């Protein structure tokens, strides 16, 4: 599961507002996130909390989020039940394909064997987990872990909200004007005032007064994502959830 992709740090999910904003902005820029879970009963709810943080930053709709939560919860629960040494962790990967509009969930464990869909009897209280995965997922499967022991169970869900869509244009900071919207820390902010000032070492800085938060001071040539007022974003059109 070591893909070089930044791993989630649990305190970041429940830290200060500023830390949460920074994490949402960072997650929004990623196409995949990996993390590991210890073999304890708290791991399933932790995986769901992480999923909510990631999918919220990606603008995934509520229906897809709820289905993904059920699928990931089932895969993680199954992995935690595998009989392996207690120090063997469970790996989780959450990824998106912007071109295909697909969300992929992977859960890896060190156990052997392959999970199979069962049809339990009416009096049986368990054994229906993979039936649920099969019903909710676009497709799912099992594969051997690359370069390691055990297996990876994966599921893909259709998530049309994450398809790439132009949402603003990039311009130099010196081109920004009052009344326009700029993307700051993963959120759109209205520009109230614009002024320039010189750096002590030379060069021009642009200071943008925003409708919320502190002023933004950047180099005049710094690229900023800009949108004119009156052009709604995908989030404002109700096609996603703002990060």
């Amino acid at each position: 599961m070591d893909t070089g992709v930044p791993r989630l740090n649990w305190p970041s999910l429940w830290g200060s507002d500023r830390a949460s904003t920074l994490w949402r902005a960072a997650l929004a820029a990623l196409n995949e996130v990996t993390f590991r879970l210890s073999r304890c009963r708290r791991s399933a709810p932790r995986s769901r909390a992480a999923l909510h943080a990631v999918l919220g930053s990606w603008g995934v709709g509520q229906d897809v989020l709820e289905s993904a939560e059920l699928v990931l919860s089932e895969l993680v629960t199954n992995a935690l039940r595998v009989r392996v040494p207690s120090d063997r962790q469970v790996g989780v990967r959450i990824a998106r394909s912007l071109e295909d509009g697909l969300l992929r969930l992977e859960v890896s464990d060190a156990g052997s064997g392959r999970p199979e869909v069962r049809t339990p009897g009416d009096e049986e209280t368990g054994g229906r987990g993979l039936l649920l995965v099969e019903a909710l997922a676009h497709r799912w499967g099992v594969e051997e872990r690359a370069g390691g022991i055990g297996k990876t169970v994966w599921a893909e869900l259709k998530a049309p909200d994450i398809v790439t869509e132009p949402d603003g244009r990039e311009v130099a900071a010196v081109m920004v004007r009052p009344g326009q919207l700029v993307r700051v820390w993963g959120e759109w902010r209205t520009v109230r005032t614009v002024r320039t000032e010189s750096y002590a070492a030379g060069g021009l800085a642009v200071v943008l007064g925003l409708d919320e938060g502190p002023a933004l001071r950047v180099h005049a040539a710094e690229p900023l994502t800009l949108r004119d007022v009156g052009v709604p974003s995908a989030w404002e059109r109700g096609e996603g959830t703002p990060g």
Side-chain angles (χ1 to χ4, degrees):
M1 292 293 295
D2 188 4
T3 63
V5 178
R7 292 179 183 165
L8 287 177
N9 179 22
W10 295 117
S12 70
L13 298 178
W14 299 286
S16 65
D17 290 341
R18 179 172 175 76
S20 297
T21 300
L22 291 173
W23 255 106
R24 286 198 301 270
L27 290 174
L30 298 174
N31 286 327
E32 61 178 285
V33 173
T34 66
F35 54 95
R36 295 182 183 275
L37 299 167
S38 58
R39 306 188 68 80
C40 65
R41 62 182 181 181
R42 295 189 302 275
S43 289
R46 282 181 170 180
S47 70
R48 292 194 294 270
L51 181 73
H52 272 258
V54 175
L55 299 193
S57 72
W58 289 351
V60 172
Q62 186 64 27
D63 290 345
V64 176
L65 191 153
E66 291 175 357
S67 295
E69 181 179 15
L70 290 171
V71 170
L72 182 63
S73 183
E74 180 59 34
L75 298 185
V76 168
T77 300
N78 285 350
L80 293 173
R81 289 173 177 166
V82 174
R83 295 189 178 184
V84 296
S86 60
D87 62 341
R88 295 298 179 93
Q89 294 180 314
V90 171
V92 177
R93 177 175 177 262
I94 305 169
R96 62 177 172 176
S97 171
L98 297 174
E99 295 78 14
D100 301 327
L102 288 176
L103 173 68
R104 184 178 175 97
L105 307 174
E106 297 180 2
V107 177
S108 300
D109 63 71
S112 59
R114 300 171 70 89
E116 297 181 357
V117 177
R118 294 179 53 227
T119 305
D122 294 339
E123 296 181 359
E124 293 184 69
T125 58
R128 293 176 173 81
L130 287 179
L131 283 173
L132 178 65
V133 172
E134 190 170 62
L136 295 175
H138 174 54
R139 54 177 173 249
W140 73 281
V142 186
E143 57 192 32
E144 295 182 359
R145 293 178 64 188
I149 62 173
K151 62 185 178 298
T152 295
V153 185
W154 58 270
E156 291 181 344
L157 290 80
K158 292 184 178 181
D161 292 331
I162 64 175
V163 174
T164 303
E165 176 181 341
D167 200 7
R169 65 186 188 279
E170 195 171 87
V171 301
V174 72
M175 301 297 293
V176 178
R177 296 291 179 264
Q180 294 177 317
L181 300 175
V182 294
R183 189 81 169 149
V184 181
W185 301 121
E187 298 181 353
W188 289 104
R189 290 283 180 258
T190 302
V191 178
R192 297 301 189 196
T193 61
V194 179
R195 63 183 175 86
T196 59
E197 59 184 39
S198 298
Y199 286 109
L204 188 67
V206 174
V207 182
L208 304 178
L210 307 175
D211 58 343
E212 292 185 38
L216 179 66
R217 185 174 186 267
V218 296
H219 191 279
E222 179 79 14
L224 295 175
T225 302
L226 176 74
R227 182 158 56 83
D228 294 316
V229 175
V231 180
S233 68
W235 294 337
E236 292 171 329
R237 291 194 299 270
E239 299 172 9
T241 302

